Amino acid sequence: MKSLIIALAFLTTAVSFAQSSETESSNQSVFSRSQKFDNEGVELYDSNYELKNYKKLGLGVSTGGLTGGFGFNLEVNLKPADALGFGIGMGKAYNTFHIAWKHNYESNYLSPYTKVGYANWFNANSPDGDASSSDILKRVLSEKQIQENKFSANFIAGGMGLEYNQLEGELSGVNFYGELMVLGELNSSVYLPTAGVGLTYFY
């Protein structure tokens, strides 16, 4: 629960920072301030690396993968090739928190990436369901944990994905992605494949 509170505070601070950096200039996109323009005044980037060199902070939503059911993500581009990601999420009768390292490969609109990370899925003490509603948790938890609805599953993860980067125009910075991951639960030593999709906007 402490991890969830810290993550929420971090995301709130990041959103406040991004909102404070918005500008009303007609030459800039409706969302961001950090931009590059061509000779005709159109926001334009030559590659995903150049985009992420200008835009350091990404906020978005996702489903599946490390997030579980549905969640919110923060991605910080430390370098164009490397980013640190944080996320919080929820499913039926559980909450999630994760941190991940992402390596981007240089390309244009479509670019591949690899990712490794850690995720914690824990019970929410929800009366509306139990952990067996999640195919992943059903495979890694004991019957007692499912019945009592008290658990904390710790996953290491690795995988790859493909993302679409919008490199020009007012929506430059929009990023759609899909990824395939393998989750390894540390206590049960069970490894499971999973997939996730999401949308991120880089400021």
Side-chain angles (χ1 to χ4, degrees), residues 112-124:
Y113 65 88
T114 54
K115 181 184 288 186
V116 293
Y118 163 80
N120 178 241
W121 296 18
F122 54 96
N123 72 310

Side-chain angles (χ1 to χ4, degrees), residues 34-92:
S34 183
Q35 297 170 289
K36 174 198 167 189
F37 297 94
D38 65 9
N39 294 331
E40 297 179 354
V42 177
E43 187 177 2
L44 178 64
Y45 303 91
D46 294 331
S47 69
N48 62 324
Y49 272 19
E50 186 174 54
L51 172 73
K52 293 180 179 183
N53 189 50
Y54 276 83
K55 299 177 182 290
K56 302 293 186 180
L57 181 67
L59 297 172
V61 295
S62 64
T63 182
L66 293 174
T67 303
F70 176 81
F72 300 93
N73 298 321
L74 169 67
E75 190 168 319
V76 181
N77 292 317
L78 304 177
K79 297 189 297 183
D82 297 300
L84 188 61
F86 304 88
I88 56 173
M90 64 187 72
K92 192 173 184 181

Side-chain angles (χ1 to χ4, degrees), residues 158-176:
M160 63 183 64
L162 185 67
E163 61 185 21
Y164 170 82
N165 308 284
Q166 179 61 31
L167 300 179
E168 61 181 301
E170 291 188 350
L171 293 180
S172 294
V174 170
N175 174 287
F176 297 96

